[in-house]
């Protein structure tokens, strides 16, 4: 056995004495708050400093005991990270196939036992037991042809994350994850020509598309081990706070909590995924759309929590700008979350995308 310093992203509230800063922490002006390599000796002071600057996360090094690997099997830290990333992507793809098989049993009316669904949930949520950043992993997974099943899996993961940030209990989290998995199974009953149409849907075609939430509910309604709140959440996941949604035109808090959570995950994942009628958006383009177009349609308190947390998940992400430069996201502002501060790779220069003189710059790719 050996003691190894391992890098991990933590909440500010979880800072402890003895931790070492693994990546520079900057304030909203690009000023350095805590330098890489700094050892925290008074955790309460570090927490107070970072809370004053509204920093939510940071990367630290901390001691972990690990079994020494076999001779000739040691790789560089970067190789280990790549291996971990590739393994997580492989697991996501494998779990998607398992989920697809289980959902098809629902659709065809086959007998599907409760234990099988519980295993699907457990396998899907294993990602949260590691230091893997689920949102960055979702960006790394290649686009797939079976859009519906990949979407159900991703909505499940995002919904679970939102539930964690809301501090829901374990039972709620598992049911929330199940809701995300089930919301779109009714799309298999929608005409594939409508689902895959590249042009704008006609009124009749859109009316057909909107039936999928009812179809999804019909598929699962006879299964006694699926709770009523999951069934209702599936039925109402396209309702909107202003009453513009479907199938019932519900408003505000008359929309079930799970439906309001899953709706955010559903819209976000749709925006960052390829669709027949458009290319996918970057997460920060999706954040901009949610900030500017959905504040009156999605639950604003949950949406704001989601936007702050999702943006913070991309601190440290390498990105490419539309001028060809690449850099690293180092800070997320409280206003205009979609316009972060970057540290340019070639020059170490700080660029604040929220400034008017940088309005011509946009993040076009995650690398």
């Amino acid at each position: 056995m050996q003691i190894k310093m391992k890098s991990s992203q933590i909440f500010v509230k979880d800072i402890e004495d003895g931790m070492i800063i693994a990546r520079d922490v900057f304030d909203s002006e690009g000023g350095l708050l805590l330098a890489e390599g700094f050892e925290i000796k008074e955790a309460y002071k570090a927490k107070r400093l970072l809370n004053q600057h509204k920093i939510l996360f940071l990367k630290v090094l901390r001691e972990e005991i690990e079994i020494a690997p076999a001779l000739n099997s040691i790789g560089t830290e970067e190789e280990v990270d790549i291996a971990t990333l590739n393994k997580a992507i492989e697991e996501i793809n494998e779990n998607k196939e398992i989920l697809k098989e289980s959902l098809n049993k629902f659709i065809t009316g086959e007998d599907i036992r409760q234990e099988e669904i519980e295993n699907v949930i457990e396998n899907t949520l294993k990602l949260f037991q590691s230091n893997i950043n689920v949102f960055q992993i979702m960006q790394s997974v290649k686009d797939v042809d079976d859009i519906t099943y990949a979407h159900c899996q991703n909505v499940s993961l995002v919904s679970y994350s939102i539930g964690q940030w809301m501090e829901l209990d374990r039972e709620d989290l598992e049911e929330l994850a199940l809701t995300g998995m089930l919301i779109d199974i009714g799309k298999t009953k929608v005409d594939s020509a409508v689902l895959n149409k590249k042009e704008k849907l006609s009124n009749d075609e859109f009316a057909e598309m909107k039936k999928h939430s009812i179809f999804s509910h019909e598929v699962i309604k006879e299964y006694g081990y699926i709770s009523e709140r999951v069934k209702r959440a599936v039925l109402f996941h396209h309702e909107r706070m202003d009453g513009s949604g479907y199938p019932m035109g519900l408003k505000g808090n008359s929309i079930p909590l799970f439906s309001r959570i899953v709706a955010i995950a559903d819209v976000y994942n749709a925006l960052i995924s390829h669709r027949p009628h458009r290319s996918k958006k970057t997460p920060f383009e999706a954040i901009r759309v949610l900030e500017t177009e959905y504040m009156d349609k999605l639950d604003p308190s949950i949406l704001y929590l989601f936007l702050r947390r999702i943006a913070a998940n991309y601190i440290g992400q390498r990105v490419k700008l539309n001028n060809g430069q690449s850099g690293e996201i180092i800070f997320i502002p409280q206003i205009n979350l979609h316009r972060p501060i970057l540290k340019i790779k070639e020059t170490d220069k700080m660029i604040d995308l929220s400034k008017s003189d940088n309005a011509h710059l946009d993040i076009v790719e995650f690398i």
Side-chain angles (χ1 to χ4, degrees):
M1 291 191 303
Q2 62 178 344
I3 303 295
K4 183 179 179 181
M5 300 300 288
K6 187 171 183 180
S7 172
S8 58
Q9 181 169 280
I10 65 168
F11 290 104
V12 167
K13 67 181 179 64
D14 295 326
I15 292 175
E16 297 177 357
D17 289 348
M19 290 181 174
I20 295 173
I21 303 301
R23 178 179 287 137
D24 292 339
V25 181
F26 298 89
D27 65 17
S28 60
E29 301 296 326
L32 184 63
L33 296 176
L34 295 174
E36 181 179 342
F38 175 77
E39 182 178 356
I40 297 172
K41 295 183 178 178
E42 294 177 291
Y44 75 95
K45 288 186 177 180
K47 291 178 186 179
R48 184 170 61 194
L49 172 66
L50 297 180
N51 284 330
Q52 286 173 347
H53 290 275
K54 296 181 169 57
I55 306 295
L56 298 174
F57 301 90
L58 72 161
K59 280 209 166 187
V60 298
L61 296 172
R62 47 186 173 182
E63 291 184 348
E64 289 194 7
I65 298 176
E66 82 171 11
I67 305 298
L71 200 60
N72 298 327
S73 68
I74 302 176
T76 66
E77 182 177 350
E78 182 178 0
E79 287 170 340
V80 172
D81 287 344
I82 291 173
T84 302
L85 178 69
N86 288 335
K87 182 180 179 183
I89 292 172
E90 184 180 335
E91 287 178 356
I92 279 185
N93 288 328
E94 288 176 356
N95 289 339
K96 178 174 61 64
E97 291 305 314
I98 296 171
L99 174 62
K100 181 177 179 179
E101 183 178 332
S102 297
L103 294 185
N104 280 336
K105 289 183 179 179
F106 277 121
I107 294 162
T108 58
E110 291 183 49
D111 181 37
I112 180 166
R113 294 176 296 125
Q114 181 174 354
E115 293 78 8
E116 182 174 342
I117 295 303
E118 289 173 348
N119 287 336
V120 171
I121 296 172
E122 182 180 351
N123 287 333
T124 300
L125 300 183
K126 276 182 180 177
L127 274 177
F128 292 93
Q129 298 173 10
S130 67
N131 289 326
I132 292 292
N133 185 320
V134 170
F135 292 92
Q136 291 187 10
I137 284 288
M138 285 168 57
Q139 286 301 116
S140 302
V141 176
K142 292 183 179 180
D143 295 301
V144 291
D145 294 328
D146 49 351
I147 294 174
T148 296
Y149 299 102
H151 182 67
C152 288
Q153 181 183 49
N154 288 346
V155 171
S156 179
L157 292 170
V158 176
S159 298
Y160 185 88
S161 295
I162 297 173
Q164 282 187 314
W165 296 333
M166 293 175 67
E167 300 183 353
L168 301 183
D169 64 31
R170 181 68 185 177
E171 181 182 352
D172 286 344
L173 289 172
E174 290 181 354
E175 291 212 326
L176 192 55
L178 177 58
T179 302
M181 292 177 188
L182 298 174
I183 59 169
D184 279 351
I185 57 175
K187 282 187 175 178
T188 57
K189 296 188 176 183
V190 176
D191 187 340
S192 61
V194 173
L195 286 175
N196 298 318
K197 186 176 179 180
K198 294 183 179 180
E199 299 80 21
K200 183 179 179 180
L201 298 180
S202 68
N203 290 337
D204 287 343
E205 288 168 336
F206 186 54
E208 175 69 16
M209 177 71 82
K210 290 196 294 186
K211 293 177 183 178
H212 81 269
S213 57
I214 296 174
F215 292 156
S216 295
H217 181 260
E218 288 177 348
V219 168
I220 63 174
K221 67 181 182 181
E222 300 302 328
Y223 289 87
Y225 58 79
I226 299 177
S227 71
E228 284 303 314
R229 66 175 174 174
V230 170
K231 294 173 184 176
R232 283 171 52 81
V234 168
L235 179 61
F236 296 133
H237 74 278
H238 274 289
E239 299 290 357
R240 296 295 181 253
M241 299 296 283
D242 61 359
S244 64
Y246 58 86
M248 300 290 292
L250 301 180
K251 287 186 177 182
N253 290 337
S254 61
I255 304 170
L257 174 62
F258 278 15
S259 295
R260 285 179 271 146
I261 294 172
V262 171
I264 293 171
D266 183 33
V267 173
Y268 173 76
N269 190 68
L271 289 170
I272 65 168
S273 304
H274 278 294
R275 288 294 182 264
H277 58 284
R278 60 159 175 80
S279 58
K280 69 178 181 181
K281 299 180 182 296
T282 69
F284 283 93
E285 288 177 302
I287 289 170
R288 179 191 60 76
V289 172
L290 288 168
E291 277 187 306
T292 57
E293 299 179 22
Y294 281 90
M295 278 298 181
D296 61 340
K297 297 185 179 299
L298 302 173
D299 187 305
S301 60
I302 302 175
L303 179 57
Y304 185 61
L305 170 67
F306 171 74
L307 290 175
R308 285 191 296 112
R309 292 298 184 92
I310 185 68
N313 266 275
Y314 292 109
I315 291 176
Q317 173 71 46
R318 291 182 297 126
V319 296
K320 186 176 181 179
L321 296 174
N322 57 349
N323 65 356
Q325 289 183 306
S326 60
E328 178 182 326
I329 296 170
I330 64 168
F331 187 83
I332 306 295
Q334 291 295 301
I335 301 174
N336 293 326
L337 295 164
H338 63 284
R339 304 292 287 175
I341 295 176
L342 309 181
K343 182 178 176 182
I344 300 303
K345 179 180 179 182
E346 294 83 0
T347 63
D348 278 349
K349 178 184 176 182
M350 304 296 178
I351 292 184
D352 185 348
L353 295 182
S354 67
K355 299 294 186 184
S356 59
D357 54 352
N358 291 323
H360 63 291
L361 296 176
D362 287 302
I363 295 171
V364 294
E365 185 181 352
F366 277 40
I367 55 179

